[in-house]
Amino acid sequence: MKKTRIFFRLAVLTLAVAMVLSFTACTGGSANYNTEPHTVNENTDQTEFTIMGAQSALSPGYDDNEVLNDLMDETGIHITWNTMSDSLSEQVNIRIAGDIMPDAFMGVGFNNYALSMHGEDGAFIDLAPYITPEIMPNLYQILEDNPRVRAAITMDDGGIYGLPAGEQMGTGGVGKEKDYSIYSIPQFSMINKAWLDELGLEVPTTLDELHDALVAFKENDMSHTYYGNDPGTTLPMSTGFDQWCWGQNIFYAGFGFTNWINDVCADLTLWDDGTVGFVSTTQNYRDAVTYFHDWYAEGLMDVEMFSQSDTQLISKCQQGYVGVSTWWYIEELMGDYSDDYVFLPVLTGPAGTEYEGTRNVTIRTGGGTNGGQLSITSSCQSPINLLKFFDKWYEGETVMQLQYGPIGTYFLDQDENGVWNSITEEQAQEKFGKGAGELKSYYEVQGPKLILSKYYLENFNMEDRAIERLNDLYDYWMPQVDHDCVYPVDCVFTADELDTIDRFKPDFESALSEQEGLWLRDGGPTDEEWDAYIQHLNDKCGMQELLDVYTAAYGRYAAAEQ
Amino acid sequence: MKKTHSMSDRTSDIILVAVTAVVLLIVAYPIYYVLIASVSNPYDVYAGKTFLLPSEFTLKGYTAVFADPNILSGYINSIKYTVIGTIFSVVMLYITAYPLAQRDLPGRKFFSIFFLITMYFGGGLIPTFLVVKQTHLIDSIWALFLPGGVAVGNMIIVRNYFQNSIPRDLIEASEIDGCSKLRTFVSIVIPLSKPILAVMVVFSMVAYWNDWFTALIYLTADKAPLPLVLRNILIKSSASASQASTISGGYAELNKLTEMIKFSSIIVAAAPMLIIYPFVQKYFEKGFMAGAVKG
């Protein structure tokens, strides 16, 4: 008895010693500062650097990348690349926690929260003092010309802990008057025209007409009677649920909104009067889920819409089971049956209600600018040398080659204005035996690449598919948009605001999505359910706090614009 | 009397055979299904068209998997890690479980608790990484074996087996005959514990064969085991598909290949285990429950 007690004490003692040791070990390894933060470190001795970062899964690594090697020769430095295509964030976190720091992290995609945090704890140095005409002339000029870019990468404390990156691919890049991001409308709806013709129906223009068409598809089992599939295989309409390019959200336009996947916060909307709100607390939203539940209950919407993957959707579509669906390209989704499908225009709301004639697509933002693509750590001795190298990245012709591939490989010829043409799919297959997309993935360097809209006009032409999609977007879909206001993805939040977002947003978003699904499946909300829902969002999910944060951030953004 | 006896025998036989046939079907069909799915058009698989026979037979998935230059080194590494890891962890189990099975071991309770604590509390990823880093095991294959070298749950099973299933009389007899503790262990205990040995070998073997995460964290790419290689092949394929989905088109076609690779890599990774299993299995049925009861 006594013996065991002694051993117990021994155990406790060993544990205690081990814990003390581990704490001291932790504090012993904290970062060492070379200079005062927020000033320029004038040291230029170091010319050998190690960078840890991302590469595309198809890339062979950057050691033999001629574009990067040329840039290194030009600036007189050498970089050892330690890059990987997946599990990068785990590896990076382990490195930061274990204080095994490279000179810089590239292409990791730190969010503003991580950047502020690592800026504050001294792991990343403040780059703002280095962005001068002497050290970084190209970037300096871009930030002078585009105050928005500067605003997007400047943290709350005035520091810049990462160089800007972004891809401003939009209709402006194909010479349109207004510049809409390629991501403005992610879902293009489509319908089987052959089935409509067979049934003697017109292409619907209202939700009611679509409803009748779907009922006709179902009753006549079109997949069976027209394509000869097994009886009962017809799925009048199949989509995902709140998915990127294959969701049901485009059909809500008849109720005056479309709640796309949102990079800022789910269902966050900037109304055309400049106020910020959540669309999922409006009467329109309530009426929409109530209305579409009837479709679901009648078996017009696929019962698997909540659970299926894009692969499952493609599978169904390529068998010819599906009457109506959404994607970017018809060919992609419908395979052999593509010729039978046409784009379905944005449909107006149900007749006899206040939504008769309503047809409003709310657009979404583009990729925006982010500062998480290149951060220099406190272990770098000569940030100036490294930044001179990265300043070269902010030249149109250089960034084009970093994004797609070298001149002579991906860019083979120039048009009459000296603008480079991308390799075509056929040329790529012929010369390299790969698709153009694969070729891009092979040569692409992931890092602080800022591709300005004007580069598409001055330096290189976009890929054919992108041009086609932008033309579709501009000519066919944008005219159906009433208000092109959208909550800016570049809004910068203060540290406190980021804490609030971090605390509430995940719960809030999952509560919205779960409830939307339940109402679609089980029937729209009664007054009590609706009140309970609003109350739940307010009490448990911090809706008001989130709204305040987003309103305040937009207020600062709008003020800076003027 | 005799007749009814054989009648009931026969009915029970029929019932037993029927039940085992159903169980066999439940176990075997999924494997068969994956096998045919790996040679079919995946869109047909997802549309439910491959119930018994493959549709649009193709070996593209396997071609893509075996075209990868790392697959062979992946196999070799995996076999190496599995063999070394299994021997190492079985040895560790035996040399920890046997002393703990001795009722006269000084500090027996302390050591039991010492081991038990690790069952309930782990350091987490980053602290463990720091330990591995400070012991200079990063990029050494021992990083796979040394941390967590004693599987405590298994160790308790082995200890209970030693305590309960090896007759004390035999051990006492050997001691009377002049055996040392070590000799008793080698000549009496080890031969008598073959069933539990087989069980532990299979447990460790499967665990090391399937382990990819440890290798991902601690080892460089050239030391990657098979599951990690397969994972990279899959990631490459889906990366090229998602590349296509954003800009250049052709997602549906590339995604098809990704899905095929998924099914074929299951077969490629599971085949060696499926082949080895029957050889160990004859010990398995005896040993599985052994030592599980009586704390």
Side-chain angles (χ1 to χ4, degrees), chain A residues 79-96:
Chain A
I79 294 169
T80 309
W81 303 103
N82 174 15
T83 52
M84 54 200 77
S85 60
D86 71 308
S87 319
L88 177 67
S89 57
E90 283 106 327
Q91 299 275 6
V92 166
N93 288 335
I94 286 174
R95 294 295 189 291
I96 294 179

Side-chain angles (χ1 to χ4, degrees), chain B residues 29-106:
Chain B
Y29 181 71
I31 300 174
Y32 174 72
Y33 186 79
V34 173
L35 188 68
I36 53 175
S38 69
V39 293
S40 300
N41 174 353
Y43 293 133
D44 287 346
V45 174
Y46 282 102
K49 288 194 160 176
T50 51
F51 183 62
L52 285 177
L53 291 174
S55 138
E56 300 179 24
F57 183 84
T58 165
L59 289 173
K60 271 190 189 159
Y62 290 99
T63 319
V65 168
F66 285 107
D68 194 282
N70 297 320
I71 193 90
L72 187 67
S73 73
Y75 254 116
I76 293 171
N77 284 338
S78 262
I79 292 172
K80 193 166 90 183
Y81 301 155
T82 306
V83 170
I84 299 177
T86 305
I87 294 172
F88 176 76
S89 70
V90 169
V91 169
M92 290 304 283
L93 283 178
Y94 265 60
I95 62 177
T96 46
Y98 186 63
L100 285 176
Q102 307 307 309
R103 292 185 197 284
D104 52 352
L105 175 75

